[in-house]
Amino acid sequence: MTEGPWSLRLLTWNIHKCKGVDGRTDPARILNVIRDSAPDAAVLQEADERFGMRRGMLSTDDVQRTCGLRLVRSSGAHPRSIGWHGNVLLLRPDIELESMSSVSLPSLEPRGAVIWRLRRGGRRVVVIGVHLGLVGRWRALQAREVARIAGMEGDVAIIIAGDMNEWRRKGRSLAAIENQPGFVAVGGPSFPSRRPILPLDRIAAGGGASISSWKVVESGSASDHRPLLACVNC
């Protein structure tokens, strides 16, 4: 008997080191928004402090207690960090993490991507979390590298999610990701969070994965970005 599609609720959010637009640093506020969105997986950016020891801004216990998710600390992270260049995954306990790898992306500033290979039952999906650069030329190079990494994963459902820092709805710098055969990318105004006008945050799915619905989530003052939530059939 063949298993039906796996409908994965995936959220991506730049949590801005848990510092809200009101100037308060409040991890509990971030976790409450994630809890209320009820994702199966949450791909977060800026989950660590920016300078110094780059301390992680979320604790494993708080994530589990508030959201019922487990925090997957990114490989290659600083001893006090939870993310790789700030990229981290929160995951439902019944979803198996088969493997994970981290890569640096070409840039004048530190940028990276994390590849999480997930399984639930007989279904597999590869999730690639990214936070692309502010400069269009470098962002295009980073998008090409992410597309190359996705292509190396073989015949498997692929999701690419994160803060892509592209303000145009059909971003030219993201062409390598958005124009891959069979891939569809979604995203609406998510920045700045109080009056969002720029679609900086995107989710793209391909390799047999498809997006059945998506929305930008109201998040109050918790971060300068709003989260993006999508249901992805894998």
Side-chain angles (χ1 to χ4, degrees):
M1 182 176 177
T2 304
E3 283 190 11
W6 170 10
S7 184
L8 178 74
R9 286 174 60 85
L10 185 132
L11 178 142
T12 185
W13 192 11
N14 183 330
I15 64 172
H16 193 51
K17 299 168 283 295
C18 295
K19 185 176 182 179
V21 294
D22 56 4
R24 289 197 299 119
T25 298
D26 189 349
R29 189 165 53 175
I30 293 290
L31 293 177
N32 288 340
V33 173
I34 296 172
R35 176 200 61 205
D36 293 346
S37 301
D40 299 314
V43 177
L44 307 181
Q45 301 85 51
E46 295 194 22
D48 303 313
E49 291 180 334
R50 185 173 183 182
F51 300 112
M53 300 296 288
R54 293 187 57 82
R55 176 177 61 94
M57 299 306 298
L58 301 174
S59 80
T60 299
D61 289 344
D62 288 345
V63 168
Q64 197 284 325
R65 182 168 48 249
T66 302
C67 305
L69 304 173
R70 74 182 191 272
L71 190 155
V72 179
R73 186 174 177 275
S74 296
S75 59
H78 187 280
R80 294 191 63 188
S81 302
I82 57 174
W84 170 251
H85 295 295
N87 298 293
V88 72
L89 178 71
L90 310 184
L91 192 63
R92 266 179 47 170
D94 64 331
I95 300 175
E96 177 187 353
L97 175 68
E98 287 192 326
S99 65
M100 169 178 52
S101 53
S102 305
V103 296
S104 294
L105 298 177
S107 184
L108 291 174
E109 55 183 334
R111 296 285 175 176
V114 185
I115 304 96
W116 298 282
R117 300 168 187 90
L118 310 178
R119 178 186 293 274
R120 186 163 69 180
R123 295 285 182 178
R124 295 181 64 245
V125 60
V126 173
V127 177
I128 303 176
V130 300
H131 186 185
L132 303 186
L134 296 170
V135 179
R137 181 171 68 89
W138 286 101
R139 191 164 57 244
L141 291 173
Q142 293 158 14
R144 287 177 204 158
E145 179 64 9
V146 170
R148 186 190 70 81
I149 292 166
M152 293 176 63
E153 292 296 323
D155 186 17
V156 64
I158 300 277
I159 302 170
I160 302 169
D163 177 359
M164 304 204 184
N165 265 319
E166 174 57 73
W167 61 94
R168 293 162 291 199
R169 290 190 178 275
K170 291 297 289 184
R172 286 174 291 177
S173 67
L174 304 181
I177 293 173
E178 295 182 338
N179 295 341
Q180 289 188 85
F183 269 70
V184 172
V186 299
S190 58
F191 181 88
S193 58
R194 280 185 171 163
R195 291 189 177 181
I197 56 174
L198 302 177
L200 300 189
D201 304 276
R202 316 274 176 109
I203 296 173
S210 62
I211 298 172
S212 58
S213 63
W214 63 274
K215 65 178 180 178
V216 176
V217 177
E218 169 60 51
S219 56
S221 300
S223 171
D224 59 345
H225 287 244
R226 291 188 181 187
L228 178 65
L229 177 68
C231 290
V232 184
N233 296 323
C234 304

